[in-house]
Amino acid sequence: MKIAVIGTGGVGGYFGAKLAQADNEVTFIARGAHLEAIRENGLLVKSVYGDMHITNVNATDKITDINKADLVLVAVKAWQIKEIREEINHILHSNSIVLPLQNGVLAADELAEVIPAKHIMGGLCRIFSLIEAPGVVNHVGFKPEIVFGERNGSLSTRMGKLTQLFEHAGVAHKASRDIEADVWKKFIFICTSALLAVTKTTYGELRELNETRQMMIALLNEIYAVSQKKGVNIKPNFIDKTIEVIDSVAYDSTSSLTRDVWEGKPSEIDYQNGTVVKLAEQYGVDVPVNRFICNCILPMELKARGKFGG
């Protein structure tokens, strides 16, 4: 299969390498020193499940260099979707699949504002990974998994094709009949990332201290309440299961949003807790913890984007 990986960070780098290793024709989109290192030395993926070194990599910084991809894995930050969707539209043929793997719940809708909806599936991934150095991606936790499904809940032929693709590549996967619910389940979990950023804690530290643990539980319950007002199919015991997962992750684990805030980089706050606040206003739900976190991060976010002060 001819595959375009848009964004060769922790997500795109790992899954793209797995697909390339399985003899698919993969083109990676990267930038700057990361791109140069990949061109010179290949893409090295370190993983707790075994390292991969992909040599002779097809890599570019221009999406339009790609000629008609069968599958487009969209692995950029959520806030970058609007910047690249026009270019993605130009590399599609009539049967191309566009699979967004962003955090948040808006990616598929934002892509569909420009790209014909027939191309877009719902998707998400579960992985703890990051760029360790130019040309090097490090997978540090969670068994990597991709979840995908038709946005109308149907079973389709192309879902079967993706199942075969991921099976052949050794990628854990799930073909979902309710991708909206699956996306929201991940969304609820990852919105704890901003609480880590504000409290300057790891997951272990956050859950260990009773005061921050209670904030975490309140945050999760607020988002669940919003999901129910929106009509998302999530059972009431999901929050307890989410807390169990948080209690099981490595003590020193953080997240990409957490690290971005700490490092003064633009983050996905508007697509995570910011989305919770906006939807809560729309559906009349009170979300004081999520609102407090957004307000705390807002000055840092504006500084990171050069929009604060003189």
Side-chain angles (χ1 to χ4, degrees), residues 27-294:
T27 302
F28 294 86
I29 299 296
R31 294 182 296 183
H34 192 44
L35 173 61
E36 293 309 312
I38 291 170
R39 283 173 167 169
E40 258 187 65
N41 306 311
L43 176 61
L44 174 62
V45 178
K46 298 179 180 180
S47 172
V48 292
Y49 293 106
D51 296 348
M52 298 175 280
H53 189 199
I54 311 301
T55 56
N56 300 317
V57 180
N58 294 324
T60 178
D61 58 0
K62 295 179 181 177
I63 295 173
T64 50
D65 284 348
I66 301 167
N67 184 26
K68 305 304 178 186
D70 301 313
L71 171 65
V72 180
L73 286 184
V74 187
V76 296
K77 298 288 189 182
W79 52 270
Q80 294 174 311
I81 287 282
K82 291 181 178 180
E83 299 173 3
I84 62 169
R85 56 191 180 179
E86 290 278 4
E87 293 173 271
I88 290 174
N89 204 26
H90 288 298
I91 66 169
L92 305 179
H93 58 69
S94 59
N95 294 315
S96 296
I97 301 169
V98 178
L99 183 61
L101 300 177
Q102 277 61 44
N103 291 324
V105 293
L106 302 179
D109 288 336
E110 290 189 344
L111 286 167
E113 290 172 0
V114 171
I115 298 169
K118 67 174 185 176
H119 292 294
I120 301 164
M121 296 184 75
L124 64 96
C125 67
R126 297 186 178 96
I127 186 172
F128 277 171
S129 55
L130 67 157
I131 297 175
E132 182 180 278
V136 182
V137 167
N138 193 355
H139 160 232
V140 295
F142 271 1
K143 183 177 181 181
E145 180 186 32
I146 289 179
V147 182
F148 59 92
E150 298 293 356
R151 299 175 71 203
N152 63 6
S154 66
L155 281 175
S156 63
T157 301
R158 63 184 185 173
M159 286 173 69
K161 289 180 180 178
L162 288 186
T163 295
Q164 292 177 354
L165 172 74
F166 294 136
E167 280 181 357
H168 182 61
V171 173
H173 58 277
K174 173 189 170 185
S176 173
R177 291 296 301 271
D178 191 347
I179 193 63
E180 181 187 35
D182 284 320
V183 167
W184 266 84
K185 287 174 182 178
K186 180 186 176 184
F187 179 62
I188 291 172
F189 170 79
I190 58 115
C191 281
T192 57
S193 302
L195 183 55
L196 298 183
V198 169
T199 56
K200 295 189 177 179
T201 58
T202 66
Y203 275 108
E205 292 164 342
L206 184 81
R207 69 196 185 215
E208 185 176 89
L209 185 65
N210 182 60
E211 287 82 357
T212 51
R213 184 180 184 85
Q214 293 309 311
M215 286 184 72
M216 175 191 80
I217 293 170
L219 175 147
L220 296 172
N221 280 307
E222 287 177 7
I223 307 171
Y224 177 75
V226 174
S227 77
Q228 296 310 283
K229 283 286 189 178
K230 193 177 185 301
V232 182
N233 182 28
I234 302 177
K235 294 180 180 178
N237 66 348
F238 175 72
I239 296 304
D240 290 335
K241 291 182 178 180
T242 301
I243 294 167
E244 288 176 10
V245 171
I246 292 171
D247 285 340
S248 71
V249 300
Y251 190 91
D252 291 333
S253 296
T254 56
S255 73
S256 58
L257 181 144
T258 307
R259 294 187 295 273
D260 285 341
V261 172
W262 289 348
E263 294 166 13
K265 298 177 181 177
S267 77
E268 293 181 326
I269 186 63
D270 197 43
Y271 284 85
Q272 294 187 29
N273 308 76
T275 297
V276 174
V277 172
K278 290 171 187 172
L279 290 175
E281 290 173 353
Q282 181 179 336
Y283 291 107
V285 180
D286 192 23
V287 290
V289 176
N290 281 275
R291 188 182 304 279
F292 170 77
I293 290 167
C294 285

